[in-house]
Amino acid sequence: MTAPAGTPLRRLAILLSGRGSNFEAIADAIVRGTIPRAGIAAVVSDNPEAPGLRIARERAMPAFAVDRKQFSDRESHESRVLSILQDASPDLVCLAGYMRLLSPAFVARYPGRILNIHPSLLPRYPGLNPQQRALAAGDTVSGCTVHFVDEGADTGPVVLQREVAILPGDSVEELSRRILAEEHRAYPEAIATVLDRLKPA
Ligand code: GRF
């Protein structure tokens, strides 16, 4: 992590399970300065095969696979993830396609300091396949939401939402692609906003 001399560096931890395109957008935004004075202190995945982990290693970032299958229960898995986070000492934990629900104990360790991005206009369509559900409902608008994480699934306070029009004849793939492009702008912007408001950890 590098920053101009004398400026406090805000530390991000990223939790992901797959592709990692939002993580990459966040990393690029740090380089561009859209998220100023920040660095990625750890990238953690519950899936050792996650392409996002490979991206982190290619960028010489601290990358950790914590394979859920190697742990007997959620508590022991989370405890390993938490010990990595403790060492990384993040100001903000960003879920970027992390496919596990965090326990109340985990959330309580980082009050007001965990963000998630979801490809719908919450509170509509929390959980899986929101793009498909928006199309099936005949909606004309969808989008993405960046929100604080609480004990529920996609239920915490909203930081920022972006609308994406649903076009006649849209497929799930086309709609998902346009929402994802919007996510890549929205997540860095939301992170910059939240970091600005945060007191030092
Ligand atoms: C994104 O659509 C995000 O909103 C959802 O999971 C997907 C992750 O994609 N939570 P990626 O791994 O960031 O490419």
Side-chain angles (χ1 to χ4, degrees):
M1 302 199 310
T2 54
T7 55
L9 193 64
R10 284 88 55 88
R11 303 169 69 84
L12 304 183
I14 309 282
L15 303 192
L16 55 78
S17 300
R19 184 174 54 188
S21 70
N22 275 288
F23 151 56
E24 214 170 6
I26 293 165
D28 289 344
I30 291 172
V31 172
R32 276 199 314 273
T34 315
I35 305 174
R37 298 183 311 283
I40 294 180
V43 178
V44 183
S45 177
D46 60 318
N47 166 19
E49 308 301 329
L53 267 186
R54 186 169 35 76
I55 296 168
R57 292 189 183 115
E58 283 165 6
R59 291 179 176 233
M61 291 174 179
F64 303 87
V66 186
D67 187 352
R68 175 64 180 85
K69 292 192 222 60
Q70 306 292 323
F71 293 82
S72 54
D73 52 24
R74 174 165 87 164
E75 199 183 347
S76 56
H77 180 256
E78 281 197 342
S79 135
R80 175 71 190 123
V81 174
L82 281 168
S83 87
I84 292 168
L85 292 185
Q86 187 165 331
D87 290 345
S89 179
D91 296 288
L92 202 55
V93 178
C94 302
L95 310 189
Y98 191 61
M99 297 306 286
R100 306 210 162 267
L101 189 63
L102 302 181
S103 71
F106 192 120
V107 174
R109 288 281 288 272
Y110 294 96
R113 291 178 185 271
I114 309 179
L115 291 180
N116 181 43
I117 186 155
H118 185 75
S120 78
L121 297 175
L122 291 171
R124 298 209 80 178
Y125 313 123
L128 295 176
N129 305 320
Q131 304 94 330
Q132 193 180 336
R133 287 151 65 206
L135 282 173
D139 294 354
T140 55
V141 64
S142 179
C144 62
T145 303
V146 181
H147 64 95
F148 288 103
V149 171
D150 63 10
E151 289 78 5
D154 305 319
T155 50
V158 170
V159 178
L160 179 157
Q161 287 188 310
R162 285 288 148 73
E163 290 188 358
V164 172
I166 297 180
L167 306 177
D170 249 348
S171 64
V172 176
E173 292 73 25
E174 284 163 358
L175 177 61
S176 302
R177 185 179 47 73
R178 293 204 311 283
I179 294 175
L180 190 65
E182 201 53 50
E183 291 183 40
H184 295 163
R185 291 184 279 271
Y187 210 174
E189 200 178 305
I191 289 170
T193 303
V194 170
L195 283 175
D196 263 358
R197 288 190 215 138
L198 273 185
K199 296 189 186 72

